[in-house]
Amino acid sequence: AQKITQTQPGMFVQEKEAVTLDCTYDTSDPSYGLFWYKQPSSGEMIFLIYQGSYDQQNATEGRYSLNFQKARKSANLVISASQLGDSAMYFCAMREGQTGGFKTIFGAGTRLFVKA
Amino acid sequence: AAGVIQSPRHLIKEKRETATLKCYPIPRHDTVYWYQQGPGQDPQFLISFYEKMQSDKGSIPDRFSAQQFSDYHSELNMSSLELGDSALYFCASSSLTRQDSTAEAFFGQGTRLTVV
């Protein structure tokens, strides 16, 4: 079974609009962390935002916010006021606690295209 | 702040040759992870080391080996290279002694290996 599911292979958004990238996850470990990474065409993996499984509030980092719905096991990324430079591949990822060996498991990614 | 350093950034090898990728984790990080990202794919976990001992093993081919040295840097050795080994190889480091052990693992910029 997929641990991380990103159902949107590609997304288009108009510049200055908000966009939501979907992510659902599957784990039985009570302790886990959820991440979003941005990967531009240059290839580096850029950390965007983190949500711990015990965090009560949704994480926010500038224009990025994570809509964490624990009961639904979803961790959608919301990018507000999209910019042309946001065009990239976005990966949702998870690190499980002891049972998962702390390694990072990635989803298949969503390619975001920001239109001028 | 110091980040994860990977070398080389780019590497071109011929089939059946060997390659060695190096990773220098963030100082005081005790865990190193290696990932392989093929073209158009999400990163796949290969292997990890905690305190110089192998801690977890993923989809690492038998032709590959890795180790972590006393100074905590790690090397991924790849022998009998095949065309399919062409990929972006990421190293990440984290500290499992931190209270929040599922927090972020920091990624290096990756080594792009091309096998011709």
Side-chain angles (χ1 to χ4, degrees):
Chain A
Q2 292 289 332
K3 288 270 190 177
I4 298 286
T5 302
Q6 294 180 254
T7 57
Q8 306 152 315
M11 288 279 288
F12 285 89
V13 65
Q14 195 68 39
E15 191 180 12
K16 298 178 186 174
E17 291 186 348
V19 63
T20 298
L21 307 185
D22 295 341
C23 173
T24 57
Y25 61 93
D26 182 28
T27 181
S28 56
D29 198 315
S31 177
Y32 54 91
L34 298 162
F35 307 84
W36 279 91
Y37 291 91
K38 173 184 178 181
Q39 189 177 43
S41 56
S42 53
E44 70 261 39
M45 198 66 74
I46 301 170
F47 166 76
L48 295 178
I49 197 166
Y50 161 78
Q51 180 88 41
S53 58
Y54 296 117
D55 293 343
Q56 296 294 319
Q57 298 204 348
N58 287 345
T60 59
E61 289 284 351
R63 295 186 298 112
Y64 305 107
S65 60
L66 199 152
N67 184 0
F68 181 45
Q69 298 190 39
K70 195 169 182 177
R72 292 185 175 183
K73 294 188 174 178
S74 76
N76 298 340
L77 175 71
V78 180
I79 305 175
S80 63
S82 297
Q83 302 172 357
L84 294 178
D86 293 335
S87 293
M89 194 73 165
Y90 288 80
F91 289 99
C92 179
M94 176 172 66
R95 293 184 80 201
E96 295 169 294
Q98 194 68 45
T99 59
F102 302 103
K103 59 183 176 289
T104 304
I105 302 166
F106 291 86
T110 295
R111 187 166 294 281
L112 179 66
F113 300 92
V114 181
K115 300 182 291 184
Chain B
V4 177
I5 306 296
Q6 290 188 246
S7 68
R9 292 291 310 279
H10 302 272
L11 189 59
I12 299 176
K13 290 285 186 178
E14 295 189 354
K15 284 192 303 183
R16 293 180 288 278
E17 283 192 320
T18 60
T20 297
L21 309 186
K22 296 185 179 182
C23 169
Y24 298 86
I26 291 172
R28 291 180 294 282
H29 277 192
D30 48 36
T31 308
V32 166
Y33 310 82
W34 285 97
Y35 296 85
Q36 178 191 56
Q37 185 180 21
Q41 305 291 317
D42 53 291
Q44 295 292 317
F45 170 72
L46 292 179
I47 195 167
S48 62
F49 293 88
Y50 170 65
E51 286 290 345
K52 292 157 279 184
M53 299 286 290
Q54 182 182 308
S55 55
D56 200 356
K57 195 172 181 180
S59 53
I60 184 169
D62 292 341
R63 298 177 290 108
F64 294 6
S65 65
Q67 57 182 326
Q68 187 178 31
F69 295 86
S70 58
D71 64 351
Y72 291 93
H73 95 273
S74 178
E75 295 184 3
L76 178 66
N77 299 293
M78 311 158 72
S79 61
S80 303
L81 286 168
E82 302 173 356
L83 295 178
D85 296 330
S86 295
L88 190 55
Y89 290 83
F90 286 104
C91 171
S93 76
S94 68
S95 172
L96 289 190
T97 56
R98 283 183 50 180
Q99 188 174 6
D100 185 358
S101 55
T102 55
E104 181 191 357
F106 294 82
F107 282 80
Q109 292 191 297
T111 293
R112 190 172 294 279
L113 172 67
T114 303
V115 181
V116 297

